[in-house]
Amino acid sequence: MNQLSGHLLAIDTQGSVSIADVAVGKHGKLILTAMVLGAAHPATTWSIGQRVTMLFKESEVALARQLSGQISLRNRMPGQVVALEQGRLLTRVRLALQDVSGSCIESLITTRSATAMQLAIGDQLEALVKSNEMSMMPQIHPQIQQSPQQQIQQPTQHGGAAQEPA
């Protein structure tokens, strides 16, 4: 599960749908959006400036190279490929985020897509996540930021063996 810390910039609610914007990272250069469904969701009572963690699955992160033109996906995160773990069916791609110093996210894509894109360490890509695939949770204690090197060395828990690259 990808996790990025930030603070709540805005939340707009109509009926049972809320759209929340979160500034991520020390300088808040990256703005991520989460769509929250359900009128009783606790996010509707959160306050602007509140520290939150954005969560999203690796399997929900699409990758693009040289993306141009308009696109409906709100969450666009430019970064550099720092690790590739290629399996027979799936490939895990780790990106060091350009706008969030010291933070990495992972994408789990088909090996066919990784091969077609000719992915390599050092490639500049954009990670894309739909706002309805983003979850938020309040931060009780500020998280310690790790360097990309520290994050790569630590094991990551994943949803199950079926999703792991071979």
Side-chain angles (χ1 to χ4, degrees), residues 23-31 98-100:
V24 175
K26 183 177 180 181
H27 302 290
K29 289 182 184 178
L30 179 63
I31 308 298
Q98 174 182 307
D99 296 329
V100 188

Side-chain angles (χ1 to χ4, degrees), residues 2 57-63 85 87 89-94 105-111 113 158-160 162-166:
N2 289 303
K57 295 178 183 178
E58 296 90 337
S59 57
E60 299 298 341
V61 180
L63 299 175
E85 182 183 336
L89 297 177
L90 299 174
T91 296
R92 184 175 308 282
V93 182
R94 180 173 289 233
I105 63 167
E106 291 185 348
S107 175
L108 188 62
I109 62 174
T110 64
T111 296
S113 291
H158 303 288
Q163 293 184 349
E164 291 298 320

